[in-house]
Amino acid sequence: QVQLVESGGGSVQAGGSLRLSCAASEYPYNANCMGWFRQAPGKERDWVAFIYRSGGDTFYADSVKDRFTISQDNGKNTVYLQMNSLTPEDTAMYYCTLSWCGAGFRTYAVRYWGQGTQVTVSS
């Protein structure tokens, strides 16, 4: 059973930064990208950023573009999310995923979810 272990969440003031990490126990055959979703209280879970394992192409939601950076260490099956210029609107539970991503990230299918790590940004 594939496991995803997230770390790095916490509380920060607006304008601050946090770095999330997610280590996968393995990179299964049915996944080719890793990414992050987030869910704020009372809202739907939305994707935030994805990175293809091969080639490292990245995709970002408009709400985090130019503030968040996703990266990976393939040797460690680990993905990172560097979050800068945080605002209270970024407050959410952040979930790591192993997914299958279609070309150009036009489609995706989440294969595995992490347990989530809480990010709280105060004004």
Side-chain angles (χ1 to χ4, degrees), residues 63-76:
S63 59
V64 306
K65 204 171 292 183
D66 299 327
R67 298 188 300 121
F68 290 11
T69 302
I70 189 170
S71 60
Q72 63 188 352
D73 183 335
N74 286 347
K76 297 180 180 179

Side-chain angles (χ1 to χ4, degrees), residues 56-105:
D57 285 351
T58 58
F59 293 88
Y60 297 93
D62 288 342
S63 59
V64 306
K65 204 171 292 183
D66 299 327
R67 298 188 300 121
F68 290 11
T69 302
I70 189 170
S71 60
Q72 63 188 352
D73 183 335
N74 286 347
K76 297 180 180 179
N77 290 337
T78 298
V79 66
Y80 307 95
L81 187 67
Q82 177 67 42
M83 305 184 294
N84 299 328
S85 302
L86 286 162
T87 73
E89 287 68 38
D90 296 314
T91 295
M93 185 70 79
Y94 283 71
Y95 297 91
C96 175
T97 68
L98 264 170
S99 303
W100 178 267
C101 296
F105 194 58

Side-chain angles (χ1 to χ4, degrees), residues 33 47 50 52 59 100-109:
C33 63
W47 72 273
F50 274 87
Y52 284 89
F59 293 88
W100 178 267
C101 296
F105 194 58
R106 292 185 181 89
T107 60
Y108 66 86

